[in-house]
Structure formats: structure tokens, C-alpha cells
Amino acid sequence: EAGVVQSPRYKIIEKKQPVAFWCNPISGHNTLYWYLQNLGQGPELLIRYENEEAVDDSQLPKDRFSAERLKGVDSTLKIQPAELGDSAVYLCASSLSYRDTQYFGPGTRLTVL
Amino acid sequence: DAKTTQPNSMESNEEEPVHLPCNHSTISGTDYIHWYRQLPSQGPEYVIHGLTSNVNNRMASLAIAEDRKSSTLILHRATLRDAAVYYCILRSTTSGTYKYIFGTGTRLKVLA
């Protein structure tokens, strides 16, 4: 069974540019998560989706970050415009439901110059 | 949200058992204890979880203290591929959200 797929794996952009990350969860998983991981730290939740509904986005910086999960499967996380402090790894995870074990993708490492 | 405390780093010799401790003195009765590990350049990987009783699976064993204020992840025979950051997480059920609260984890170094 395929795991959580993320692309791109690496992205380098200049500050003030837009950037988007894509996630394809494990088939049949209704819950999808986006996490931010800074160097040397554990992941921090940005947003959680139940199917296509964002049910917990309290930690998402809404002035520059946005996310969508059309049709309740794939998801995209966008930053516009990117700032130097956004350099980090962006992880996507999915689970059958919000009560179940989360499975993580490999992440996208973003470098903002 | 309940927090966990882990040593920053540990070392083990290859093929020896490893005991990774975790303190969670503010755990509530419905919080599950989860362990994940993260290999370099990869996302966290599920290892094991439990509520009250000790648990075993093909990857590891989880020993939970009787008062649930601490737990220990046991790798029975460490290999070089077990070198990773190990996270002890309380899956908090506050407000029904079942959040994972990650700490900074324990970096395990396995010596050949």
C-alpha cells in the first residue's frame, strides 16, 4: 500500500515569492494534517481536515498561509508571500479518522533566500 | 495540553537493548502514549502506542508505569538503522481533537 505522497521534496525560493506544496494521503484516509517542523524541533500542527472541511486551523498563520482539500482527497498548502522565517520542513499526514494513528509523508523542505 | 520530557540524546551499542525513557507527569486518564521515530530526511514513523498496559509489536515494546506518569520504549536489539530521533507523544483528547503534541525527542545514536 502506498504511503503519504508529498511533492516537491525540496523547494528553494526567494522571499516574497509564492510557493505551494501538494499532498496525496493514504487511500481511504478521511483525516489529513499539515505540520510545520523547524530545525531541531518536533512537528507542530498547522491544520487538520476531516474530508474537505478544515476543522482545526487555529495554528495556521492566515495572513500568508492557505490550504485546501478539494474533493476530500489531495491537499495543497500555499504560502504567499514567503518570508525568510518560513524556511522549514512541511509535513503532511493522514489517518482513517481523527481518532486513529497518523501516518506521515516524507515532507517538503522549503528554503527561503 | 499535557507535555512529555525526554533526554536530548542517548547512545547504544549495536545488537544491545535500548531503553528510551519518557516522563509525562501531567497525563490525563484518557491520553494515549504514542511513540514515533524520525529517520534523517524522512517524516515521523509510527512505532507503538498504549494506554495502560504494556504493549509489544514487531518493532518495539512499550512499558507503562503503573501510575502512567512515565513510560519506556524498548528496542530489543538495536541496529544501525534504528538511529533516529524518537518522539514520545501524548495524544490529548482535549475538546475531542485528539491532537499530537510533539516535544524535541531523543536522538538515538547506535554504535557499530
Side-chain angles (χ1 to χ4, degrees):
Chain A
E1 179 182 306
V4 176
V5 178
Q6 290 188 249
S7 68
R9 289 295 315 276
Y10 304 91
K11 188 75 175 178
I12 301 173
I13 61 171
E14 295 196 344
K15 63 180 180 182
K16 299 185 181 179
Q17 294 300 305
V19 64
F21 315 122
W22 176 80
C23 172
N24 180 245
I26 293 172
S27 177
H29 282 197
N30 296 318
T31 309
L32 184 145
Y33 313 79
W34 282 102
Y35 286 85
L36 164 71
Q37 185 172 25
N38 288 307
L39 190 64
Q41 303 295 314
E44 302 171 39
L45 181 68
L46 288 173
I47 189 168
R48 174 171 68 97
Y49 280 92
E50 294 294 334
N51 298 303
E52 59 273 4
E53 182 182 359
V55 296
D56 183 358
D57 62 355
S58 57
Q59 301 303 311
L60 188 73
K62 298 182 182 63
D63 57 336
R64 296 184 300 107
F65 286 66
S66 65
E68 61 182 12
R69 190 184 184 199
L70 300 175
K71 299 181 181 179
V73 181
D74 296 359
S75 177
T76 303
L77 178 69
K78 298 178 182 177
I79 308 175
Q80 183 169 8
E83 296 179 353
L84 295 176
D86 296 331
S87 295
V89 175
Y90 292 82
L91 293 160
C92 179
S94 71
S95 59
L96 278 171
S97 79
Y98 66 96
R99 290 189 181 92
D100 294 300
T101 299
Q102 296 181 28
Y103 296 90
F104 286 79
T108 296
R109 181 176 297 278
L110 174 67
T111 301
V112 182
L113 303 176
Chain B
D1 293 321
K3 297 289 193 292
T4 62
T5 304
Q6 299 177 253
N8 288 333
S9 63
M10 291 183 64
E11 284 189 0
S12 173
N13 292 318
E14 197 176 12
E15 298 192 4
E16 289 188 358
V18 182
H19 290 230
L20 298 165
C22 180
N23 286 320
H24 29 78
S25 58
T26 60
I27 191 170
S28 70
T30 56
D31 288 348
Y32 276 80
I33 302 159
H34 285 241
W35 283 82
Y36 277 73
R37 71 180 185 182
Q38 188 170 23
L39 280 67
S41 300
Q42 295 189 28
E45 173 189 28
Y46 168 78
V47 177
I48 200 166
H49 76 279
L51 183 62
T52 56
S53 303
N54 295 343
V55 184
N56 299 296
N57 67 20
R58 62 175 180 82
M59 289 182 71
S61 296
L62 175 59
I64 302 172
E66 197 168 331
D67 63 4
R68 298 206 332 123
K69 293 183 184 297
S70 66
S71 61
T72 302
L73 179 70
I74 303 165
L75 306 179
H76 296 289
R77 288 183 65 194
T79 70
L80 296 177
R81 288 179 294 179
D82 292 322
V85 177
Y86 286 77
Y87 293 101
C88 169
I89 303 159
L90 295 185
R91 195 189 68 180
S92 170
T93 59
T94 302
S95 303
T97 59
Y98 292 79
K99 273 187 177 179
Y100 282 7
I101 309 295
F102 284 82
T104 53
T106 297
R107 183 172 297 277
L108 175 65
K109 186 175 181 180
V110 180
L111 306 174

